[in-house]
Amino acid sequence: CALPISAVTLYLPCLCPVLLGVLRECSHCMQTYLKLYVIVPGVIVPVLLQLDDVWFGVGGAAATLLAFSALYLAARELPPWMLRAVQVVAVLLVAVEAVGLAYALRA
């Protein structure tokens, strides 16, 4: 039960730019965003570290895996009310990050 909770919490907010239409006018931006979809939750780390090429993907994947692992452990170990608080924070952060990435791709 903890695995789907972690996945939904981390990846559902990544759909915000698509659902809000941020990428509607630029098909290339949409394709790039969808290619990066797997690492979108952790993409802020390689951006802040100014990583390029393959290291961008490695940094984003590592950060995403770390966030996924933390959510998985939270879903297994925390009481339900505390898990919901963690989920709200995670959803908000990932949604803001996803929308920011979408706008950065359009620039």
Side-chain angles (χ1 to χ4, degrees), residues 19-93:
L19 298 175
L20 294 173
V22 175
L23 300 167
R24 186 176 304 143
E25 299 166 0
C26 178
S27 64
H28 180 267
C29 298
M30 177 70 88
Q31 290 173 349
T32 303
Y33 183 83
L34 293 177
K35 287 178 185 176
L36 291 172
Y37 189 81
V38 174
I39 65 166
V40 168
V43 82
I44 192 71
V45 172
V47 169
L48 292 177
L49 295 176
Q50 298 178 356
L51 300 177
D52 289 328
D53 301 326
V54 73
W55 292 112
F56 186 89
V58 170
T64 301
L65 185 60
L66 183 64
F68 188 84
S69 299
L71 281 168
Y72 178 78
L73 288 175
R76 287 188 51 169
E77 302 297 331
L78 293 179
W81 66 271
M82 199 178 291
L83 173 61
R84 298 297 175 245
V86 169
Q87 285 180 295
V88 167
V89 170
V91 165
L92 291 175
L93 290 175

